Amino acid sequence: MKKVYTCFCTDVIHEGHINLINHAKEYGEVTVGVLSERAMIRYDRFPTISEQERVEMIKKIPGVSHVVIQDSIKYDKVFEEMKPDYIVHGDNWKSGHLSWMRDNVLKNIEKYGGELIEIPYTYNPNVKKIDMRRNETLAMPDFRRARLKRLLEIEPIVKIMEVHSGLTGLIVEKTVTAGEDGLDQFDGMWMSSLCDSTDRGKPDIELVDMTERMHTIDQIMDVTTKPIIVDGDTGGMTEHFVYNVRTLERMGVSAVIIEDKTGLKKNSLFGTEVEQTQDTIENFCEKIRAGEAIKRTDDFMIIARCESLILEKGQEDALKRCRAYVEAGVDGIMIHSRQRDPKEIFDFCDEFRRTDKTTPIVVVPTSFCQCTTEELAAHGINIVIYANQLMRAAVPAMTNVCESILMNHRSEEVEKELMPFKQIIRLIDEI
Ligand code: SPV
Ligand code: MG
C-alpha cells in the first residue's frame, strides 16, 4: 500500500476536506498531519478548539488511517521520517504567502522522490459561511480575551503591534510574512495612548479620555480577532479605574497596562525633560488591588508599568516597585526605558527573573530597537510591544504625498509610492 500524506490546520471539517480525503485515499493509505497549535497560529488563525480535539475530529473522517501532529509548517521532519509516496493538498497554495509551504513541499519531495497531487480547492457559499463563523467565534469577547494568556503559554515571546484605527487593526490582523523559518504574523495589538491621541491631533496627556479610547477599541474589535492590550495610562483615580477594568474586560480586551505615575501624565519618551511624578508604592498597589478585586475572569490581566528607569531612579527602585506590584496581585509587569543601550532593561530582567520565574514581563523597545525578539526572550521577556511604528510610518508617508502634489501641481510624481485602492480594499472583509 502506498503512503499518502496531507496536513490539516483547520478546526472545522467541511465538504472541501472530505473531498480532499476522498481523492487522497484513491492513492493509498492516508495519514493526516494535524498542525500543532504553535505552528498554526503563525500560519493561520488561532484555533477555536484544542490540538487534541482537532486530532479526534480528524480521526473520525472516513478514509483517514493515521493522524500525527505536524509541529512545524515546514514539512522537512515529517517527510524525512515518513517518506510518503504522495502528498495531497488543495491548489489554493499556489499564490500568496501560502506558496512558501508549497515550495517547501516540492523541495522536500525532490529529496526522496515523492509526488505532489493538487486537488481543486473547494470554495463555495457554504465553505465561506463556515469560514466566517470561525472568525466570528474568534472575535467574541470571551474568546478574544482569553487568547493572550493562551499565547503566553504557547509562545516564548508574544509579539504585539500598535494599532490606532480599524484600518491599522486590519493591517496587523492580516499581515503574514514568509521568511527562512516559515510564516509569521503578529500575535496581538497594542492600543497606544500616544498613537490614539496623535491620531486625533491631541497630546498624550490623558486628554483623550477612556470613553473616547473605548470608541477606538470598539472600531478595532469590529474588524479584527486578535487579542488587544490597552494602554491605560495612569489608570486615573482608583474609583474610576475599577469601572474601566470592568468595561474593558466585558469588551473582550485581554490586558490593561497602567503606569505608576500620578498627576498630569506626559509621554515617557520625554523622560526627565518634562516634570513627571511617580506614584507611591502604597497608592499604586492600592489601585492594583482594587482592579484585581473587580475582575470577573482570570483571563483578563492587569499589568503594572514601572517608570523608575524612565525617571532615572535606578535599578533598585525599579526592582523594589515591581516586586511590590507582584505582591499586590498584578498579573504582569512592564519595565520601560528610553536608553538606546538595552543594558538597563536586560539587567533589570535578569535580576527580576532570579527570584520571579513566572510573572510575565513586558517591554516596549522603541529606543532599544536594535534588539530582536529572540534577544528579548533570552532575558525572560514574555511580551514585546512595538508601540508606535505604524503611526511613525504613516506620518512621513502622508507628508511626502502632500509636498509632492503641492510642488508638482499634480499627483503623478508620487503615484508610484501609492497603493492602488483595489489592493487596499482587499483588506476589508465582505459579510
Ligand atoms: C504609548 O504607546 O502610548 C506608550 C508607550 O505609553 S510609550 O510611548 O513608549 O510611553
Ligand atoms: Mg501611553
Side-chain angles (χ1 to χ4, degrees):
M1 196 83 166
K2 297 275 189 190
K3 287 187 278 186
V4 186
Y5 185 77
T6 188
C7 180
F8 279 7
C9 56
T10 185
D11 41 17
V12 183
I13 296 296
H14 56 62
E15 59 198 273
H17 301 110
I18 304 295
N19 180 41
L20 194 129
I21 296 294
N22 285 340
H23 273 89
K25 69 184 185 200
E26 286 173 15
Y27 291 88
E29 193 179 54
V30 179
T31 299
V32 178
V34 170
L35 201 63
S36 70
E37 202 155 54
R38 187 156 172 217
M40 189 160 160
I41 60 179
R42 296 276 140 257
Y43 154 75
D44 194 35
R45 280 161 292 189
F46 204 86
T48 54
I49 55 173
S50 72
E51 208 168 90
Q52 201 45 42
E53 284 168 316
R54 285 188 292 128
V55 168
E56 295 308 320
M57 176 182 79
I58 286 161
K59 272 187 184 164
K60 290 193 190 109
I61 305 174
V64 173
S65 301
H66 310 284
V67 179
V68 294
I69 299 272
Q70 182 175 322
D71 59 15
S72 162
I73 56 165
K74 287 182 173 180
Y75 284 67
D76 304 49
K77 196 168 137 220
V78 79
F79 284 5
E80 205 179 295
E81 283 168 11
M82 190 184 157
K83 295 195 173 49
D85 302 284
Y86 298 103
I87 295 87
V88 181
H89 201 280
D91 64 1
N92 58 318
W93 67 353
K94 286 187 176 167
S95 61
H97 62 263
L98 295 188
S99 62
W100 184 95
M101 288 164 76
R102 185 174 188 266
D103 293 344
N104 176 262
V105 164
L106 289 171
K107 191 182 84 196
N108 272 291
I109 53 177
E110 210 181 299
K111 289 185 196 157
Y112 69 90
E115 191 183 331
L116 173 63
I117 313 283
E118 290 175 308
I119 311 287
Y121 186 66
T122 311
Y123 204 67
N124 58 31
N126 193 29
V127 172
K128 189 175 168 195
K129 202 161 134 196
I130 291 171
D131 219 33
M132 270 168 51
R133 279 224 194 104
R134 209 176 134 206
N135 254 0
E136 277 158 23
T137 306
L138 290 172
M140 284 298 150
D142 282 347
F143 199 92
R144 191 197 299 249
R145 188 195 306 115
R147 205 164 133 175
L148 182 63
K149 277 212 168 161
R150 282 291 298 124
L151 281 161
L152 284 166
E153 284 164 14
I154 305 168
E155 286 293 323
I157 184 158
V158 176
K159 300 191 290 284
I160 304 288
M161 186 65 183
E162 172 256 317
V163 291
H164 54 267
S165 61
L167 182 62
T168 51
L170 279 173
I171 291 171
V172 175
E173 177 85 10
K174 297 193 179 188
T175 301
V176 182
T177 55
E180 275 281 291
D181 301 324
L183 304 181
D184 204 5
Q185 54 180 296
F186 284 106
D187 297 300
M189 301 176 278
W190 165 244
M191 247 299 292
S192 151
S193 69
L194 176 62
C195 297
D196 199 7
S197 305
T198 307
D199 200 43
R200 295 159 192 267
K202 298 274 175 71
D204 181 23
I205 52 171
E206 294 186 278
L207 173 66
V208 177
D209 67 17
M210 222 5 126
T211 310
E212 286 185 275
R213 305 274 314 281
M214 281 165 188
H215 283 143
T216 314
I217 298 168
D218 193 44
Q219 280 175 15
I220 295 163
M221 285 187 153
D222 211 22
V223 294
T224 62
T225 67
K226 289 187 177 180
I228 297 178
I229 302 179
V230 168
D231 176 358
D233 287 319
T234 64
M237 289 163 64
T238 300
E239 291 83 346
H240 296 175
F241 178 57
V242 288
Y243 280 93
N244 288 330
V245 164
R246 234 174 49 156
T247 311
L248 292 171
E249 183 179 26
R250 177 184 53 72
M251 289 172 84
V253 164
S254 301
V256 63
I257 301 187
I258 51 167
E259 54 194 281
D260 56 1
K261 286 201 298 227
T262 188
L264 179 63
K265 188 219 78 160
K266 303 264 177 69
N267 186 272
S268 302
L269 300 174
F270 290 117
T272 49
E273 291 158 30
V274 291
E275 203 173 305
Q276 298 277 282
T277 319
Q278 209 170 11
D279 205 351
T280 63
I281 295 181
E282 294 68 33
N283 279 348
F284 199 63
C285 285
E286 200 43 53
K287 200 181 281 186
I288 291 167
R289 275 192 286 270
E292 289 292 340
I294 213 80
K295 274 168 43 175
R296 279 170 289 198
T297 67
D298 277 343
D299 296 330
F300 186 77
M301 299 171 76
I302 297 176
I303 299 174
R305 161 174 168 175
C306 176
E307 292 286 295
S308 298
L309 302 182
I310 293 281
L311 300 172
E312 296 171 9
K313 300 253 183 87
Q315 291 287 348
E316 280 313 307
D317 189 69
L319 286 162
K320 185 168 127 201
R321 282 177 170 270
C322 287
R323 287 178 182 141
Y325 303 156
V326 172
E327 194 64 24
V330 89
D331 304 290
I333 56 139
M334 172 182 152
I335 183 72
H336 207 11
S337 161
R338 59 184 197 116
Q339 302 285 323
R340 163 99 177 126
D341 186 343
K343 189 176 179 310
E344 69 170 6
I345 283 282
F346 288 165
D347 285 351
F348 171 90
C349 294
D350 296 345
E351 187 55 27
F352 184 82
R353 275 282 170 260
R354 226 174 33 79
T355 53
D356 185 330
K357 307 271 185 253
T358 53
T359 303
I361 304 179
V362 184
V363 297
V364 175
T366 305
S367 37
F368 43 104
C369 58
Q370 71 277 29
C371 298
T372 62
T373 45
E374 292 75 13
E375 281 173 85
L376 300 173
H379 288 274
I381 292 160
N382 310 85
I383 300 180
V384 53
I385 299 178
Y386 298 96
N388 49 41
Q389 285 78 2
L390 291 189
M391 174 63 78
R392 284 164 59 208
V395 172
M398 291 191 285
T399 307
N400 178 40
V401 171
C402 287
E403 287 174 354
S404 176
I405 295 176
L406 280 176
M407 275 159 52
N408 297 296
H409 303 202
R410 60 183 190 182
S411 64
E412 189 187 32
E413 284 71 13
V414 79
E415 199 61 29
K416 60 183 180 312
E417 289 164 45
L418 307 180
M419 186 180 262
F421 234 98
K422 256 192 191 155
Q423 210 172 323
I424 296 175
I425 58 173
R426 273 196 223 132
L427 282 170
I428 299 168
D429 292 321
E430 278 175 40
I431 53 169

